Amino acid sequence: MFQVWDERRLPRTQSRDGDHRSPFQRDKARVLHSAAFRRLQAKTQVLGVGLSDFYRTRLTHSLEAAQIGTGIAAQLQSKFPQQTTLLELDPYLIETLCLAHDIGLPPFGHGGEIALNYMMHKDGGFEGNGQTFRIVTQLEPYTAEHGMNLSRRSVLGLIKYPNFLDTLTNLECLPKSPVSLRQVKAQQWHPPKGLYRCDEALLDWLLAPLSSADRTRLMSYQTIIGAHSKTCYKSFDCSIMELADDIAYGIHDLEDAIVMNMVNVDSFQRDVVLPILEKDIPWLSNNIELLSERLFSEFHHERKNAIGALVNTFITAIIITEVPGFEHPLLRFSATLPAAHAAALSLFKQFVYHKVIRKSEVQLLEYRGQQMVMELFEAFSSDPERLLPVNTRKRWAEAEKDNNGQRVIADYISGMTDEFAARLYTTLFIPKHGGAHEQLQ
């Protein structure tokens, strides 16, 4: 049942003496050694905290998510041996998914995502998860044409939203294009979460082992009035990765906010502690006040102790539930948090979002990044054959035969780090003294 999920689009033709790694160990190595993964070190996890070398980048966030993911796998193997044996749960697989889950994010975080989605809204849209799918299946130059050429199960585990942007887009939600790029409102151009229609053949290959009924159900979505549609299901492996990501975001990113004095104990007490006290959450409700004191302690080790305790309480609460209507075990089972713990984790995530991400200082930087990405896109699309680098220009010319050249420009810009994009913007739009050679240094 699972052997077909070890397959790759490009079959392995070369064997190496003494290499006894599993498919998922190879997949982990391909992610770790990829340029897309390395670039995460130069993309900030929470914008606006660049005054310190303490804050987390997308790279350190991914490493923390990977650690949490392997912890979840170990817990589930201990608590649910029958199901995890049936599912052939593999810690290397979960680690791979957690390491790779953010590699599709463009420069400047969600500001960059909004910018590229706006510039691409007539050409298929842009979304970070869909870009991750493109990187691992096509763009990363581990192979000539098949990206990292990961195993089928690894690719399935990376797809959090298994349908296409054009299907999920609610056209009534899209406003008229503003007269100026500076008037693009972020809340109006959030993309639905999904894949690009131009990559449909790759999804067909990926889902080929599933029955027609399982595939149809996996790709089903919920229609929401006044908003874009949302997919309903994901694979078992993906559910673990998503939980690890949520815990890393809600708990570890909170540590950044505390250390950088972006939040205070009074607001944390009001928005997190009191609601948890009102809930009957095993262990957490009885200990949240002590944890709050330690989180905001002047002693680093006490804060670390509290962070570890919070992460542990969420990891150990995770259970395996059965999803009705699916035949294949990879879709029939899901890792989930009990309702009370899920509500508590949501409180932490919302606290970080409202008290940090939505701060005006952070939004100013996000808006600035949004503007830079849109102007870079506008410049490259105005004269691709003149401005794009040689290799990207060749890809653009090939894609343009199918009227898909804009996607290549989006690929190019989304692969930039924050610093590279800012430097390129300066080169193009803020002339310096001296010759062209000096400007490109």
Side-chain angles (χ1 to χ4, degrees), residues 45 57-58 60-70 72 94 97-103 105 110 129 160-161 193 237-254 311 315 318 337 345 349:
Q45 171 69 1
T57 65
R58 290 284 176 186
T60 56
H61 162 76
S62 298
L63 293 171
E64 287 173 335
Q67 179 65 28
I68 293 170
T70 55
I72 294 172
I94 302 304
L97 302 183
C98 293
L99 290 171
H101 80 279
D102 264 354
I103 60 174
L105 287 178
H110 292 295
N129 296 280
K160 296 168 69 173
Y161 311 102
K193 295 183 179 297
D237 305 317
C238 186
S239 70
I240 297 177
M241 175 266 280
E242 189 167 42
L243 284 170
D245 183 26
D246 286 348
I247 294 170
Y249 171 72
I251 307 303
H252 283 300
D253 288 3
L254 171 64
V311 170
I315 288 178
I318 294 171
L337 273 171
L345 182 57
K349 290 170 58 183

Side-chain angles (χ1 to χ4, degrees), residues 369-431:
Q370 175 183 315
Q371 295 302 310
M372 283 194 277
V373 169
M374 288 191 295
E375 292 193 45
L376 285 173
F377 193 103
E378 187 175 50
F380 286 119
S381 61
S382 71
D383 198 347
E385 294 177 292
R386 177 187 181 192
L387 299 176
L388 289 174
V390 175
N391 289 337
T392 307
R393 192 184 314 159
K394 292 177 181 177
R395 286 188 56 238
W396 176 86
E398 191 63 29
E400 191 64 9
K401 296 175 183 177
D402 298 319
N403 296 314
N404 203 32
Q406 298 290 80
R407 177 62 61 196
V408 174
I409 297 175
D411 290 340
Y412 175 55
I413 295 176
S414 71
M416 297 177 182
T417 63
D418 298 11
E419 176 62 27
F420 183 88
R423 194 165 63 245
L424 188 58
Y425 179 89
T426 298
T427 299
L428 279 170
F429 301 114
I430 307 177

Side-chain angles (χ1 to χ4, degrees), residues 99-174:
L99 290 171
H101 80 279
D102 264 354
I103 60 174
L105 287 178
F108 310 113
H110 292 295
E113 186 177 50
I114 294 294
L116 287 175
N117 185 53
Y118 172 73
M119 300 305 289
M120 288 290 294
H121 73 273
K122 295 181 180 178
D123 298 284
F126 181 91
E127 200 271 328
N129 296 280
Q131 195 65 23
T132 295
F133 182 67
R134 277 181 71 78
I135 289 170
V136 300
T137 58
Q138 300 174 70
L139 301 181
E140 182 65 35
Y142 181 84
T143 63
E145 298 178 349
H146 300 295
M148 296 184 195
N149 195 35
L150 301 181
S151 63
R152 190 183 249 121
R153 184 165 175 177
S154 289
V155 179
L156 181 68
L158 285 169
I159 297 183
K160 296 168 69 173
Y161 311 102
N163 209 314
F164 302 104
L165 295 188
D166 57 356
T167 298
L168 301 170
T169 297
N170 182 347
L171 295 177
E172 295 180 358
C173 293
L174 298 182

Side-chain angles (χ1 to χ4, degrees), residues 21-90:
R21 293 176 298 168
S22 71
F24 305 128
Q25 287 174 304
R26 292 191 182 97
D27 287 350
K28 176 188 170 183
R30 293 180 187 192
V31 170
L32 274 175
H33 294 289
S34 67
F37 181 72
R38 288 197 304 277
R39 290 189 188 106
L40 295 178
Q41 68 185 306
K43 297 184 180 183
T44 51
Q45 171 69 1
V46 178
L47 292 175
V49 292
L51 298 177
S52 168
D53 60 0
F54 174 88
Y55 69 92
R56 287 166 169 83
T57 65
R58 290 284 176 186
L59 180 67
T60 56
H61 162 76
S62 298
L63 293 171
E64 287 173 335
Q67 179 65 28
I68 293 170
T70 55
I72 294 172
Q75 280 288 327
L76 294 180
Q77 286 173 325
S78 175
K79 294 189 334 188
F80 301 93
Q82 186 175 351
Q83 289 97 322
T84 52
T85 299
L86 169 67
L87 290 160
E88 298 183 12
L89 176 59
D90 189 299

